[in-house]
Amino acid sequence: MFIELKKTTFSFWGYMMQNQVYDIRTSEAALNTLVSLTGVDPSVWKALSDEEDHVPVTFDLLADTINTYGRFPSRLDELEMVYIHVTTSANGCESIKKHGIQDLATAYANADSELRVFLDEHDIHIDLENRILTHAGREFDIAYRPCLQSPNDDDYWRKSVGKKFYNDHATCGFFSVDNLRPYGGLVHMRPEVLNNIGHVVHLDLCREWHSSHSPYEIIARVKCRDIVYNNDTNEDELHQYLYYLLMAYYNAFFDPSERILLTKNNVRILPQDVTRIAPISFWNHL
């Protein structure tokens, strides 16, 4: 492949090194991210995309382009990742405004969390310390142990509740979403754990929650060092950068797709790192 391109020098490069932001929620944001992080002119990226049918963009081609027409960003761990957290609420996400985005067990421990209030109203209580769920005077052991039971087995659902509370200390979000296809976990309809709890106590908790709670998109930011690198964890920093920049390239020139972000365990997104809370702008028609 031969593409005649003009090298471009960006005077704002030094500024961007102090303000590294990674935002690929939309095609426009993704292109801005590519340009600001690499200093490579948009025309260069457009020329690459025009050749995509003949020469797919790989890590090697991406690295050659950046080395030729720009430069690599520095300090991957300081890169500020902007992402979408999807949730449901009946009060405009007051708990997130107060506490930020927390893992499930921490959120449940807050007496004012919507999940805690909802379960209390249904006489469902979780003893986090002793790993016991109670409902209407009955006790259920929810200690998590890996199991091979069928989803038709009650023990499977009790352990699946325990897995959510005791083995999942991260929070999930999206670098970008597929506007036409909702995430399989249906987080825009109810907390995932409600499905598991409902099977344990034999109540249709999901339907009731969905009828009284609305979906929200939370725009937040988190340092790259606090998220799980969603590829080979043994890759060096250069290859990790290329992975994130390649995602930005594809979102910039093709329809943004579902790209999941997972925080590391026990990382809390503070209220000041939540930049926007609004009714969801996607998936409503599905």
Side-chain angles (χ1 to χ4, degrees):
M1 177 185 67
F2 174 76
I3 305 175
E4 186 176 351
L5 298 170
K6 180 181 179 181
K7 295 185 181 182
T8 304
T9 302
F10 282 79
S11 61
F12 55 70
W13 184 257
Y15 172 79
M16 290 310 302
M17 286 301 92
Q18 302 300 319
N19 299 270
Q20 294 190 96
V21 176
Y22 183 88
D23 182 358
I24 63 169
R25 290 173 293 151
T26 65
S27 293
E28 180 181 9
L31 182 57
N32 288 339
T33 290
L34 275 177
V35 173
S36 65
L37 291 182
T38 67
V40 176
D41 190 85
S43 64
V44 175
W45 297 116
K46 179 63 168 61
L48 286 179
S49 72
D50 289 342
E51 293 290 329
E52 181 74 28
D53 289 341
H54 307 291
V55 184
V57 174
T58 62
F59 275 14
D60 287 341
L61 181 55
L62 192 67
D64 287 345
T65 301
I66 296 170
N67 283 327
T68 302
Y69 299 99
R71 60 185 292 183
F72 275 95
S74 60
R75 299 296 303 276
L76 177 64
D77 61 334
E78 287 296 322
L79 191 61
E80 191 170 86
M81 319 302 265
V82 177
Y83 75 103
I84 306 163
H85 177 76
V86 177
T87 191
T88 47
S89 176
N91 62 16
C93 303
E94 288 299 326
S95 183
I96 288 179
K97 293 175 184 176
K98 179 179 179 181
H99 302 290
I101 301 172
Q102 302 172 306
D103 67 80
L104 177 62
T106 303
Y108 178 81
N110 297 325
D112 60 349
S113 74
E114 289 187 78
L115 177 63
R116 175 70 171 271
V117 171
F118 180 85
L119 292 177
D120 285 351
E121 290 174 348
H122 290 78
D123 195 21
I124 299 170
H125 309 280
I126 298 172
D127 182 338
L128 292 173
E129 182 177 356
N130 294 306
R131 308 190 177 203
I132 297 292
L133 182 152
T134 61
H135 171 62
R138 295 185 61 192
E139 291 190 351
F140 302 90
D141 177 8
I142 58 169
Y144 172 64
R145 295 176 293 274
C147 62
L148 299 176
Q149 284 98 334
S150 161
N152 296 321
D153 190 307
D154 286 345
D155 192 46
Y156 168 90
W157 290 108
R158 290 194 294 271
K159 288 181 172 63
S160 69
V161 173
K163 182 177 181 180
K164 288 288 187 184
F165 277 96
Y166 303 110
N167 198 55
D168 186 355
H169 302 292
T171 60
C172 180
F174 306 90
F175 289 111
S176 60
V177 298
D178 183 335
N179 288 331
L180 300 178
R181 185 175 60 185
Y183 172 62
L186 302 179
V187 290
H188 65 300
M189 299 179 69
R190 78 292 185 269
E192 289 184 85
V193 72
L194 268 189
N195 180 54
N196 303 344
I197 295 174
H199 277 88
V200 172
V201 300
H202 302 291
L203 292 175
D204 193 353
L205 300 175
C206 294
R207 182 183 297 273
E208 185 172 343
W209 180 281
H210 182 54
S211 69
S212 57
H213 293 68
S214 301
Y216 284 83
E217 56 183 281
I218 316 297
I219 309 304
R221 58 196 181 199
V222 60
K223 292 292 187 183
C224 188
R225 61 172 175 265
D226 290 328
I227 68 172
V228 176
Y229 173 58
N230 202 24
N231 207 316
D232 184 354
T233 55
N234 293 319
E235 289 186 347
D236 59 27
E237 185 171 288
L238 172 61
H239 282 84
Q240 292 184 42
Y241 247 131
L242 289 171
Y243 172 79
Y244 291 123
L245 292 173
L246 194 60
M247 283 202 303
Y249 164 79
Y250 278 112
N251 272 18
F253 293 100
F254 305 91
D255 288 336
S257 59
E258 179 185 286
R259 302 187 186 279
I260 295 173
L261 177 148
L262 186 69
T263 68
K264 293 180 178 177
N265 286 338
N266 305 308
V267 170
R268 173 189 170 199
I269 307 301
L270 299 174
Q272 56 264 37
D273 290 322
V274 172
T275 60
R276 183 171 181 263
I277 297 176
I280 205 168
S281 60
F282 43 86
W283 302 341
N284 283 330
H285 60 292
L286 303 173

